Amino acid sequence: DVVLTNPDTGSTTFLKGFTYIDEAEAPAISWVEPGEGPVTGGTVVALHGENFQPNPTVYFGTKQATAVDFKDSTTVWATSPSGALGGVDLRLVNLDGQEDTLAAAFTYVPNVPDYAKLLAPLSVAAFTSGTVPTLYGEVFEPGMTEGMGAAPGMQAELVYGPVGGDPTADFSGWIAMDAFYSSDNGNNDLWVVEGMTSDVPGLWAYTFRFSLDGEHWTWADSDGSQNGFDANLMGVVEVI
């Protein structure tokens, strides 16, 4: 009860006019998933922990998340803003001002195409100084390749070199040449190299690689890049 008493001893009582509550505990971030995403932002990251309150604010380094979705007191989803390469802290601030930071919890990585695949034919032959049959590769990047025409900013190259080598491990001895957009293949873009010639007889391994910045690449092989690049799954050109 709340009792108000005047100097002349007159008083009034407000029954159950005040309630004591437990002080809210500070939030604590235990772990997040995924722990990385592209520098362009847009990765939905789940923060797991305890004592999260509705409508918190989440920061990736010094930049505020572009969207926050409170699930419950133990889970909050936050969408990463754009950022620079490298790790940043994740900070969650409750409406009451209490906060917690998980150091170096999220890493910004280069933005590369999501998927690439080397298409048939995977084994071709050509005579010395003759024309190699057309070679094909495809690429997928959400929000870019689904539309008509070549995805803006997409770069593609055919890479060829000695059979048994791995151009992602050691690029010496390998040659890259520009590939060209051909057509849409469902949600993927189809790229080709045609009219290629060689004066050097022998066996040559080849594949395609795709980039959005000309520096970081998604490498194709014949079963697709979803499980990484396998140098044993490149195509082969035999020059006779």
Side-chain angles (χ1 to χ4, degrees):
D1 298 345
V2 176
V3 179
L4 184 148
T5 303
N6 285 332
D8 63 2
T9 71
S11 66
T12 186
T13 300
F14 180 22
L15 298 177
K16 297 183 179 180
F18 185 83
T19 302
Y20 285 97
I21 60 174
D22 293 330
E23 182 179 359
E25 296 186 46
I29 307 171
S30 301
W31 57 288
V32 305
E33 60 175 345
E36 66 178 31
V39 293
T40 48
T43 302
V44 178
V45 179
L47 286 71
H48 301 281
E50 58 186 3
N51 304 322
F52 300 156
Q53 297 176 358
N55 301 311
T57 303
V58 176
Y59 295 89
F60 289 72
T62 59
K63 299 181 72 172
Q64 190 169 326
T66 58
V68 175
D69 186 3
F70 173 82
K71 296 299 183 181
D72 56 40
S73 63
T74 65
T75 305
V76 167
W77 290 2
T79 303
S80 65
S82 60
L85 287 175
V88 295
D89 299 343
L90 278 183
R91 180 164 63 103
L92 181 144
V93 184
N94 278 339
L95 281 179
D96 63 6
Q98 298 190 91
E99 63 181 69
D100 188 42
T101 298
L102 191 61
F106 186 80
T107 301
Y108 282 102
V109 297
N111 187 31
V112 295
D114 272 17
Y115 174 80
K117 186 177 181 180
L118 180 64
L119 301 179
L122 300 177
S123 179
V124 299
F127 290 105
T128 303
S129 299
T131 300
V132 175
T134 302
L135 305 176
Y136 301 88
E138 66 178 3
V139 62
F140 171 72
E141 173 65 9
M144 295 182 66
T145 59
E146 298 99 327
M148 297 291 292
M154 186 69 69
Q155 300 177 51
E157 293 181 344
L158 178 84
V159 176
Y160 66 95
V163 170
D166 183 346
T168 66
D170 181 2
F171 200 74
S172 59
W174 292 81
I175 298 172
M177 61 185 300
D178 288 338
F180 297 92
Y181 170 79
S182 172
S183 60
D184 294 326
N185 187 21
N187 287 329
N188 302 337
D189 283 355
L190 183 66
W191 291 71
V192 303
V193 167
E194 52 189 359
M196 175 182 172
T197 62
S198 176
D199 295 326
V200 182
L203 292 176
W204 303 93
Y206 76 91
T207 192
F208 285 79
R209 64 179 185 175
F210 299 89
S211 177
L212 296 169
D213 62 8
E215 182 178 357
H216 304 95
W217 300 86
T218 296
W219 290 77
D221 61 25
S222 60
D223 74 347
S225 61
Q226 71 279 356
N227 54 359
F229 175 73
D230 186 343
N232 295 313
L233 297 177
M234 292 190 289
V236 175
V237 174
E238 181 180 8
V239 180
I240 304 169

